[in-house]
Amino acid sequence: MTKISGSSSSPSSNSPLASVHVSVKTQFLPEESSQEDQVYSFAYTVTIRNEGPQAVQLVARHWLIDDAKGQRQEVRGLGVVGHQPLIRPGESFEYTSGARLGSPMGSMQGSYFLITEDAHWFEAPIPIFSLQAEPGSGSLGQLLH
């Protein structure tokens, strides 16, 4: 299992009160992968914690997903897993999604676009983290910050 975490108090926001902490846990899914077909599936669970004094709403996401062959997938969209959660101060929102790669190793990174309850936009970066299939184990073993 890989874990990463990062915080954002974005200077691009006009509100110094916007602050979120993003952490990610990943897991290789051998039952949904096929070495023969060059398909490697991973689950990732993201926790977004509001560390600021006012509510924030996650509006959109942007992911860059790279495999070891140099192939890049870019994903943009509204919300996450069908939600645009409102996260109150001190609260967290957690969701699980997945990614498929054409190689047993790769990485993901990205950002969330959020708005504060007083209508200030900001971006929360998601630090790069690795996706790595360990044959036979179904687990990952790296901690990234």
Side-chain angles (χ1 to χ4, degrees):
M1 181 178 293
T2 297
K3 296 180 183 180
I4 65 103
S5 64
S7 294
S8 174
S9 182
S10 179
S12 65
S13 167
N14 292 329
S15 174
L17 305 178
S19 179
V20 296
H21 178 85
V22 178
S23 60
V24 182
K25 297 177 192 173
T26 65
Q27 183 177 0
F28 175 55
L29 302 174
E31 66 281 359
E32 296 181 24
S33 301
S34 169
Q35 187 173 8
E36 181 179 305
D37 296 329
Q38 298 285 298
V39 175
Y40 300 88
S41 296
F42 299 86
Y44 58 91
T45 300
V46 178
T47 304
I48 304 161
R49 180 169 176 76
N50 182 355
E51 297 180 339
Q54 60 179 299
V56 298
Q57 184 168 19
L58 189 154
V59 177
R61 71 195 182 286
H62 178 221
W63 285 107
L64 298 174
I65 307 166
D66 297 306
D67 70 17
K69 297 176 181 178
Q71 298 296 312
R72 172 169 277 183
Q73 301 171 55
E74 186 167 6
V75 178
R76 293 179 184 269
L78 292 175
V80 290
V81 294
H83 298 279
Q84 291 182 320
L86 180 68
I87 310 167
R88 300 197 182 286
E91 294 183 351
S92 297
F93 177 78
E94 183 174 277
Y95 73 95
T96 299
S97 192
R100 288 186 155 193
L101 302 180
S103 68
M105 294 188 313
S107 65
M108 291 179 65
Q109 61 185 310
S111 57
Y112 294 120
F113 300 93
L114 300 103
I115 189 167
T116 62
E117 64 186 347
D118 63 352
H120 289 101
W121 290 94
F122 70 104
E123 185 174 345
I126 305 162
I128 191 167
F129 58 94
S130 68
L131 301 169
Q132 184 172 350
E134 293 182 4
S137 72
S139 66
L140 300 164
Q142 204 170 344
L143 176 65
L144 300 177
H145 296 278

